[in-house]
Amino acid sequence: MSSLETATLEDVWKDIEAKLSDKQEPYAGTTATYEIQITDEDASYVLRFDNGNLSIHAGAAENADCTLKMKDAIFRKFLAGNLNSMTAFMTGKLKVDGNIGLALKLESMLKEYQF
């Protein structure tokens, strides 16, 4: 798979799905629906966890528990673990609608993977 910096957004999401499908332990007990909006690409993706099951698709979520809005470069830093989400939130680089605790949980889960 392409490196995180040079991959297309679609390839990044394919990589996310592959890695999360291969290693389910970090989200095994999680039930939450996330919408990730990449604001400068006018793209949205839904990441749904349901007690160990995962689904990812492009588009908006009907009832997201947590919506994260950020630019593509910030999203890639978030995935790589090179972004403190609280700092990004406080400086306006990351906007969160819904349960902010779930945003922190997502950050912690994604740190279990190498992107």
Side-chain angles (χ1 to χ4, degrees):
M1 202 54 66
S2 302
S3 76
L4 185 58
E5 296 81 29
T6 59
T8 66
L9 194 53
E10 185 177 297
D11 285 341
V12 168
W13 279 99
K14 286 178 184 175
D15 193 32
I16 292 169
E17 186 169 22
K19 289 181 179 180
L20 270 65
S21 294
D22 286 346
K23 182 179 173 185
Q24 300 172 347
E25 296 83 18
Y27 60 86
T30 302
T31 299
T33 300
Y34 293 90
E35 181 177 342
I36 313 288
Q37 295 178 1
I38 310 300
T39 56
D40 56 339
E41 297 290 330
D42 196 27
S44 292
Y45 294 85
V46 176
L47 182 56
R48 183 171 287 122
F49 299 103
D50 187 10
N51 287 322
N53 295 310
L54 165 76
S55 67
I56 296 176
H57 64 83
E62 287 186 27
N63 294 311
D65 298 304
C66 181
T67 301
L68 291 85
K69 302 173 188 177
M70 64 194 101
K71 290 185 177 183
D72 185 45
I74 300 300
F75 173 64
R76 291 171 194 256
K77 286 180 182 180
F78 181 76
L79 274 180
N82 297 330
L83 176 77
N84 180 300
S85 62
M86 276 313 251
T87 301
F89 179 74
M90 298 301 265
T91 59
K93 293 179 181 178
L94 168 66
K95 293 183 176 24
V96 178
D97 291 336
N99 187 332
I100 194 160
L102 285 175
L104 297 172
K105 184 173 185 173
L106 180 63
E107 178 183 29
S108 143
M109 282 190 298
L110 291 177
K111 285 183 179 181
E112 299 291 321
Y113 303 91
Q114 294 282 310
F115 293 103

